[in-house]
Amino acid sequence: MTAVPAQDEKPIPETAHLRRARRPRLPSWVGLALPPLLISLGILAAWQIIVDHFELRAQILPSPIRIVTAGWSQADIIWGHALATLQVTAVGFTAALVVAWIIAVAVDFSPWLRRGIMPLLVASQTIPVIAIAPLMIIWFGFGLLPKVIVVALVTFFPVTVGLIEGFAKTDREAGALLSSMGAGRWKLFRYARLPSALPSFFTALRISIVYAVTGAIFSEYVGAKSGLGIYMSMQKNAFRTDLVLAAVAVTAVVSITLYLSTFLVERLVIPWASKERRARRGH
Amino acid sequence: MAIEAKTPKIEIVDVHKQFAVPGGERQVVDGVSFEVNRGEFVAVIGPSGCGKSTLFNIMAGLEEPTSGELKVDGADAIGVRENVAYMPQKDLLFPWRTIAENCALGLEVQGVWKLEARKRARDLFATFGLSGFEDSHPFELSGGMRQRAALLRTVVQGRDILLLDEPFGALDSLTRIEMQNWLQGVWAKHEWTAVMITHDIREAIYLADRVIVLSARPTSVRLNVEIDLPRPRELSVITSPEFAAIEEQLIETLHEESRKALELQGTLL
Ligand SMILES: Nc1ncnc2c1ncn2[C@@H]1O[C@H](COP(=O)(O)OP(=O)(O)O)[C@@H](O)[C@H]1O
Ligand SMILES: [Mg+2]
């Protein structure tokens, strides 16, 4: 009597799995990494040929090979500056995350705060960092603090907005369901709004972590004891274009690594999100 | 204890509900009264937009009526959420939770210890035809299975009254018939008091002990029909003359109201 019809029970992953198994393919990261690598190699090759052919001076435009050899000869020094930059980035970004979560959660719980704070948030983004960074040094000196503030200032906004919009993405009817179960505002947040917001949070995190590195270097450029920013500034003054560009290359590698690591963290924290995306595509 | 056997489980007396909308008041529920007895399965049909979900929200304690009475076991139940487990129109299974975790949600929210809640949910998986899918995620299940999981999540809360808002509305017709057949079977074994919204007249007659037909908005009860078909009901009951007679009566009233609802849409507000 309680026999259950079985006809409609076709779980998606099994069919998706079969489909994938039938045609063997390269691991997906190879397919993702290969095109940009090939294009970069092409550009570097063309650059090298042009510099060699027109015999451009290294001060104007050093060749890629020259950048690498010059950079390599100063690898220890550059590494030391890169660590300093990473430290500023990490501390500043962590501060930004803490501030963003506090603001976003507060705003989510209080419509009054939302109306009060949102305009201020937007206003904070109209502050020209170029003007504020030198002032920071006047106020707080050459230590970690002014740089951390600059990094936090340029990164907390996208994360805050990502979180606020993520909370708002929660299915409205989930609220009715949870209230009928007896949930109050806090449980609604914990069981529905918070998990709903996490995918948006990670998207915002990805964007802003790249800003964080740029922000750190900018703040160092204005004045610092160490860091890739001040290193670039010094090498520029010494007309060592090759070393400036070597530092730029290191910056790019650092940014890309941080960017990619957000995917890893996302997989660890919300494994369901990527599974869901794949299941959707499998349809 | 003190509750007499004769006291209806749910009493709705002259309930009115209006919403403030830009430019005035929108009258949605207009003097609805009916009763639901213990262990009874009542189906509610009415034109779309007539106020069925609004009525459910009132019964679930999520909204308060503008006027009128709602009683459960003879006691005032306006704004009370503890009596009712509610299954919304969408399955609303959370993608970040496994099926077992989703089904345990209500118990967890009510403060039952996580593992205990999940164990209680798991114990029902066989009955609901979900064995083996405890640790799957909702997006890995078919529509019919998701709907059964949503129903499990409702039932496992152990509340006295189940409110089902178009539980099979999103399913294709074949899956739907299978689900109705299945629900019929599960029902026979339990003493659940349930009210189900549907817009499928056959579903209403096939499953319910009583069918209530609501009018177009502002809604009131147009018909309150006892379904005397013997249980357990086979699928073939649909072709019996008794079934056809009830169906005809309901179709006529419902279509009349649907036409009114359509005209109403033309007049806006
Ligand atoms: N909170 C609300 N504010 C204003 N109007 C509402 C609100 N909730 C429902 N309504 C209106 O009440 C009517 C009935 O809605 P609903 O109960 O969802 O209908 P049904 O479930 O029968 O399709 C609709 O016209 C809808 O626009
Ligand atoms: Mg509805």
Side-chain angles (χ1 to χ4, degrees):
Chain A
M1 191 166 45
T2 55
V4 169
Q7 280 92 321
D8 66 323
E9 287 162 28
K10 277 196 222 90
I12 297 148
E14 275 172 33
T15 53
H17 178 73
L18 284 177
R19 209 178 302 137
R20 206 165 301 145
R22 223 173 286 141
R23 43 181 163 132
R25 288 179 59 184
L26 293 167
S28 63
W29 64 267
V30 174
L32 282 177
L34 212 54
L37 274 180
L38 286 177
I39 291 174
S40 312
L41 276 178
I43 292 172
L44 288 175
W47 178 350
Q48 182 74 41
I49 290 167
I50 290 170
V51 171
D52 286 347
H53 184 261
F54 294 102
E55 293 176 3
L56 294 176
R57 279 195 306 148
Q59 270 174 28
I60 308 288
L61 185 67
S63 73
I65 290 176
R66 161 127 196 186
I67 294 170
V68 171
T69 44
W72 191 252
S73 70
Q74 292 225 1
D76 288 351
I77 298 168
I78 294 179
W79 179 238
H81 287 296
L83 280 183
T85 302
L86 266 178
Q87 192 196 10
V88 170
T89 308
V91 178
F93 197 54
T94 307
L97 290 183
V98 171
V99 171
W101 274 94
I102 291 173
I103 294 178
V105 172
V107 161
D108 192 55
F109 274 85
S110 159
W112 184 87
L113 268 184
R114 182 190 200 99
R115 265 173 279 137
I117 284 183
M118 283 311 277
L120 296 184
L121 283 186
V122 176
S124 78
Q125 292 311 293
T126 64
I127 298 172
V129 181
I130 287 203
I132 216 94
L135 292 181
M136 292 281 177
I137 290 176
I138 296 172
W139 295 333
F140 303 113
F142 287 87
L144 199 58
L145 187 60
K147 299 172 186 61
V148 165
I149 293 175
V150 169
V151 170
L153 196 65
V154 295
T155 54
F156 88 99
F157 184 71
V159 180
T160 311
V161 172
L163 269 173
I164 290 175
E165 286 179 358
F167 292 140
K169 265 191 203 149
T170 313
D171 199 316
R172 278 181 56 94
E173 290 166 56
L177 175 69
L178 281 163
S179 325
S180 83
M181 290 169 168
R185 190 60 181 79
W186 160 246
K187 282 185 173 169
L188 174 63
F189 179 79
R190 179 180 151 200
Y191 287 108
R193 297 184 76 81
L194 176 62
S196 292
L198 289 180
S200 309
F201 167 67
F202 278 103
T203 307
L205 189 76
R206 245 193 290 297
I207 299 167
S208 50
I209 203 156
V210 177
Y211 289 168
V213 179
T214 322
I217 288 178
F218 180 78
S219 69
E220 291 162 354
Y221 204 91
V222 177
K225 294 193 199 91
S226 61
L228 287 171
I230 194 68
Y231 180 80
M232 286 179 205
S233 170
M234 286 178 331
Q235 299 308 329
K236 181 205 70 177
N237 292 340
F239 298 104
R240 288 299 303 269
T241 313
D242 48 354
L243 288 174
V244 174
L245 289 177
V248 169
V250 170
T251 310
V253 171
V254 167
S255 301
I256 292 170
T257 309
L258 288 175
Y259 177 79
L260 292 177
S261 66
T262 61
F263 284 99
L264 201 71
V265 177
E266 184 179 8
R267 282 269 167 102
L268 290 174
V269 178
I270 47 169
W272 56 270
S274 56
K275 278 193 220 153
E276 189 192 20
R277 248 177 272 137
R278 253 176 288 144
R280 286 244 176 87
R281 256 182 266 138
H283 269 283
Chain B
M1 293 144 271
I3 302 161
E4 283 176 53
K6 269 179 278 167
T7 317
K9 186 77 197 172
I10 315 170
E11 288 166 86
I12 295 171
V13 187
D14 199 25
V15 161
H16 290 255
K17 176 75 185 175
Q18 51 198 37
F19 291 107
V21 289
E25 297 273 313
R26 177 183 290 160
Q27 187 75 28
V28 175
V29 181
D30 188 22
V32 166
S33 305
F34 62 87
E35 292 174 357
V36 179
N37 296 316
R38 207 152 316 203
E40 200 179 20
F41 190 138
V42 171
V44 175
I45 34 180
S48 80
C50 77
K52 302 181 292 293
S53 296
T54 305
L55 204 55
F56 259 33
N57 287 339
I58 292 171
M59 291 166 75
L62 300 174
E63 302 247 29
E64 301 206 344
T66 316
S67 68
E69 284 180 73
L70 167 70
K71 287 183 177 167
V72 172
D73 290 327
D76 175 35
I78 287 174
V80 177
R81 297 177 185 183
E82 284 72 33
N83 301 315
V84 164
Y86 173 62
M87 176 173 168
Q89 223 159 332
K90 287 196 243 168
D91 61 54
L92 284 178
L93 297 168
F94 294 150
W96 53 87
R97 292 185 151 234
T98 64
I99 299 300
E101 289 166 352
N102 265 294
C103 291
L105 181 68
L107 292 173
E108 275 183 46
V109 167
Q110 284 152 40
V112 176
W113 185 50
K114 241 189 215 179
L115 292 180
E116 166 65 18
R118 285 172 201 179
K119 194 197 152 296
R120 275 197 235 166
R122 277 167 195 270
D123 288 346
L124 288 175
F125 267 58
T127 312
F128 282 74
L130 290 166
S131 299
F133 290 90
E134 288 84 350
D135 299 319
S136 304
H137 283 270
F139 44 86
E140 296 170 329
L141 267 59
S142 66
M145 296 177 82
R146 282 218 295 273
Q147 227 53 31
R148 285 202 292 273
L151 187 59
L152 200 166
R153 180 186 61 197
T154 315
V155 167
V156 76
Q157 295 175 50
R159 299 208 164 157
D160 288 357
I161 299 163
L162 304 180
L163 297 183
L164 315 175
D165 193 345
E166 296 197 29
F168 310 135
L171 301 177
D172 63 83
S173 58
L174 208 62
T175 311
R176 200 179 169 125
I177 290 170
E178 281 160 3
M179 291 284 290
Q180 292 161 0
N181 193 15
W182 166 81
L183 185 62
Q184 221 270 131
V186 179
W187 213 265
K189 290 173 115 191
H190 297 85
E191 283 288 284
W192 291 326
T193 305
V195 186
M196 176 182 75
I197 292 177
T198 174
H199 49 223
D200 181 338
I201 295 176
R202 289 191 171 182
E203 178 172 285
I205 304 171
Y206 175 61
L207 289 174
D209 300 309
R210 205 140 47 79
V211 178
I212 289 168
V213 181
L214 294 177
S215 73
R217 182 167 65 85
T219 199
S220 56
V221 176
R222 271 294 311 265
L223 279 181
N224 191 336
V225 185
E226 201 88 25
I227 311 292
D228 265 336
L229 303 169
R231 286 186 188 270
R233 294 173 189 166
E234 302 295 327
L235 266 180
S236 57
V237 75
I238 291 180
T239 53
S240 71
E242 295 91 334
F243 194 101
I246 305 169
E247 192 179 359
E248 199 184 314
Q249 183 191 10
L250 295 185
I251 283 181
E252 235 163 66
T253 316
L254 191 62
H255 281 197
E256 201 177 297
E257 292 304 327
S258 294
R259 263 196 305 279
K260 277 192 216 157
L262 275 177
E263 283 161 25
L264 195 81
Q265 267 177 11
T267 65
L268 293 167
L269 195 92

